[in-house]
Amino acid sequence: RRDGKDWKYLSTEDIVEQSLKMAAGLLELGVQSGDKIAIASYKNRPEWVIADLAIQQIGAISVPMYPTISSREYEYILNDATVKYAFVGSGDLYDKLSTAQPAVPSLKGIYTFDVQEGKPFWETIWNEDRIEEVKAISEAIQPEELVTIIYTSGTTGAPKGVMLTHSNIVFMTYVTTEHMTMLLPEEQVLSFLPLCHIFERA
């Protein structure tokens, strides 16, 4: 995570702690299992991962969205998925989603990953009182439950939502890990969006 010109290092423990606080905050907002939560950001950033993990832990469904699409396209996706809340990065994303919001009855709120004057900041919803409830919900989630809906670019018509379950993600993680250990030398690691998308030396 980079704040200005300084790097801020986040441990696995930091990510777990922050995702639990956000998950508890989502419960406090009234988010329930099966509700859709959208995420959009121009930059590769750990906040995306934290938000995604928080959404997964309470059985809600993440809806990642392209940052470069128009307000009208956001309106279509948000309505099609019946998104309840959205979390966005910097730039014009908050404004584009705000423009779409009046035409999206399901959308109750939009939060920013960065402090922006007059706009709700995502950390304001974090909560520590319901973390044990988050853990209980997480343990009860079944493999066949939906975890994310990924929309296509819509180049041949309206975007289509591709539905993936928890077992889909676990299986792909297992298979990818198995292949990567054979393909990559021990001194290299491979990461991917939304944190990084290049090979880099460990």
Side-chain angles (χ1 to χ4, degrees), residues 44 184 189-193 195-201:
N44 307 336
L184 292 177
V189 297
L190 175 67
S191 186
F192 55 91
L193 288 171
L195 287 176
C196 183
H197 63 283
I198 59 172
F199 287 94
E200 56 184 30
R201 287 283 172 181

Side-chain angles (χ1 to χ4, degrees), residues 12-193:
T12 300
E13 186 176 308
D14 292 330
I15 298 294
V16 170
E17 180 184 355
Q18 292 179 27
S19 67
L20 284 170
K21 288 180 181 179
M22 181 180 174
L26 290 172
L27 290 181
E28 194 68 19
L29 284 176
V31 175
Q32 300 177 6
S33 176
D35 285 342
K36 319 303 191 312
I37 310 296
I39 308 174
S41 176
Y42 284 108
K43 297 179 180 179
N44 307 336
R45 56 191 309 162
E47 287 88 348
W48 183 305
V49 174
I50 293 164
D52 212 335
L53 290 172
I55 294 164
Q56 291 180 39
Q57 290 180 87
I58 58 171
I61 301 164
S62 67
V63 181
M65 301 187 298
Y66 288 104
T68 53
I69 62 178
S70 67
S71 292
R72 182 176 294 276
E73 290 169 304
Y74 279 130
E75 180 184 321
Y76 173 82
I77 292 173
L78 294 167
N79 273 318
D80 190 65
T82 61
V83 167
K84 196 167 187 177
Y85 288 98
F87 293 83
V88 299
S90 56
D92 60 353
L93 291 172
Y94 182 90
D95 294 333
K96 287 200 290 187
L97 266 72
S98 293
T99 299
Q101 187 173 12
V104 184
S106 63
L107 187 58
K108 296 180 178 294
I110 306 166
Y111 294 85
T112 62
F113 288 138
D114 302 289
V115 176
Q116 300 179 44
E117 187 175 353
K119 300 172 183 177
F121 181 47
W122 77 311
E123 287 187 21
T124 60
I125 75 162
W126 289 11
N127 181 291
E128 296 186 30
D129 299 331
R130 302 181 69 172
I131 286 178
E132 292 306 313
E133 186 179 350
V134 170
K135 293 178 180 178
I137 292 171
S138 179
E139 290 175 1
I141 294 172
Q142 298 301 305
E144 66 273 11
E145 292 182 42
L146 282 183
V147 66
T148 188
I149 302 176
I150 303 174
Y151 278 80
T152 62
S153 60
T155 53
T156 57
K160 308 296 189 298
V162 178
M163 299 184 291
L164 299 177
T165 65
H166 285 267
S167 59
N168 290 146
I169 301 299
V170 171
F171 176 76
M172 287 306 301
T173 301
Y174 175 78
V175 172
T176 301
T177 301
E178 188 177 51
H179 284 283
M180 287 301 101
T181 55
M182 293 186 292
L183 295 174
L184 292 177
E186 290 184 3
E187 69 275 9
Q188 286 188 335
V189 297
L190 175 67
S191 186
F192 55 91
L193 288 171

Side-chain angles (χ1 to χ4, degrees), residues 1-11 14 18 46-47 123 126:
R1 176 178 179 178
R2 191 172 187 177
D3 298 324
K5 295 182 179 179
D6 299 319
W7 286 95
K8 179 178 180 181
Y9 293 92
L10 296 175
S11 66
D14 292 330
Q18 292 179 27
E47 287 88 348
E123 287 187 21
W126 289 11

